[in-house]
Amino acid sequence: GVYHGIINLSQLRSSFIKCIALNGTISFVHDNLGIPENVFRGTLENVTEASLVKFYRRMCADRDVLSRFMENRPLRKISEVKKELECIYKRRNGGSTPEVFYTDVIISTNDRIFPPAHQHSSWQGNDITTIATGHFPFYNFATWEDLVEVGERDGHHRINC
């Protein structure tokens, strides 16, 4: 994700031609610039197989996307998911964040994981491309290049998927 990209890839920035922030912010857990803390904490405290499926439903734009995603869903243990969420929550206010290196920002208008308004607030001053889909937009593009080039091709305007 966007937050983990900054934490883990900032030293490799010179290796990239383009870095896209897609449906996320550098403030992973934040009441105005990320996932609201009470929502994240509620997710963390109630991680079950059923709640994970509910998360996937919120992540996908519609039933067709969800059905396709579920056929290819990550096969992770609930304990692994919970541990990852705990680590994210512990890091939310800790340490300095490396310099932002994203060259492009894409925000899905129907994102039900990171509120679009929070993303827009987080990326003020940046060129933003909006796409009319959910948090998981990948099935709306035939190739990775189509997604990577969406902002250039459409001049940073809203596109419908």
Side-chain angles (χ1 to χ4, degrees), residues 121 154 156:
S121 293
D154 297 295
H156 296 281

Side-chain angles (χ1 to χ4, degrees), residues 86-118:
E86 287 170 346
C87 289
I88 291 168
Y89 192 69
K90 287 177 185 173
R91 287 182 91 173
R92 75 192 183 287
N93 295 322
S96 62
T97 302
E99 181 180 343
V100 176
F101 59 79
Y102 291 104
T103 57
D104 299 86
V105 177
I106 300 174
I107 298 172
S108 291
T109 56
N110 299 317
D111 192 328
R112 295 186 305 166
I113 304 301
F114 278 86
H118 292 195

Side-chain angles (χ1 to χ4, degrees), residues 5 8-9 12 18 30 32-33 47 49-50 52-53 66 79 81 83 88 111 129 143 145 154 158:
N8 298 307
L9 300 174
L12 300 173
K18 179 183 275 202
H30 192 281
N32 300 309
L33 303 174
V47 178
E49 188 64 37
L52 190 56
V53 170
L66 176 62
S79 60
V81 173
K83 185 174 181 177
I88 291 168
D111 192 328
T129 299
T143 66
E145 289 77 16
D154 297 295
R158 176 186 172 96

Side-chain angles (χ1 to χ4, degrees), residues 4-23:
H4 289 97
I6 275 200
I7 300 298
N8 298 307
L9 300 174
S10 62
Q11 294 178 351
L12 300 173
R13 171 59 184 112
S14 62
S15 302
F16 302 124
I17 296 169
K18 179 183 275 202
C19 297
I20 301 171
L22 174 63
N23 292 333

Side-chain angles (χ1 to χ4, degrees), residues 13-75:
R13 171 59 184 112
S14 62
S15 302
F16 302 124
I17 296 169
K18 179 183 275 202
C19 297
I20 301 171
L22 174 63
N23 292 333
T25 72
I26 60 170
S27 303
F28 199 100
V29 179
H30 192 281
D31 287 339
N32 300 309
L33 303 174
I35 298 173
E37 186 166 350
N38 66 330
V39 172
F40 190 89
R41 220 176 33 252
T43 302
L44 172 60
E45 294 168 358
N46 298 294
V47 178
T48 63
E49 188 64 37
S51 69
L52 190 56
V53 170
K54 183 178 177 183
F55 174 81
Y56 293 149
R57 278 198 311 265
R58 292 177 53 80
M59 192 177 74
C60 296
D62 57 43
R63 288 182 183 178
D64 292 337
V65 173
L66 176 62
S67 176
R68 188 170 170 194
F69 178 84
M70 292 303 284
E71 291 173 9
N72 301 290
R73 73 182 271 188
L75 300 176

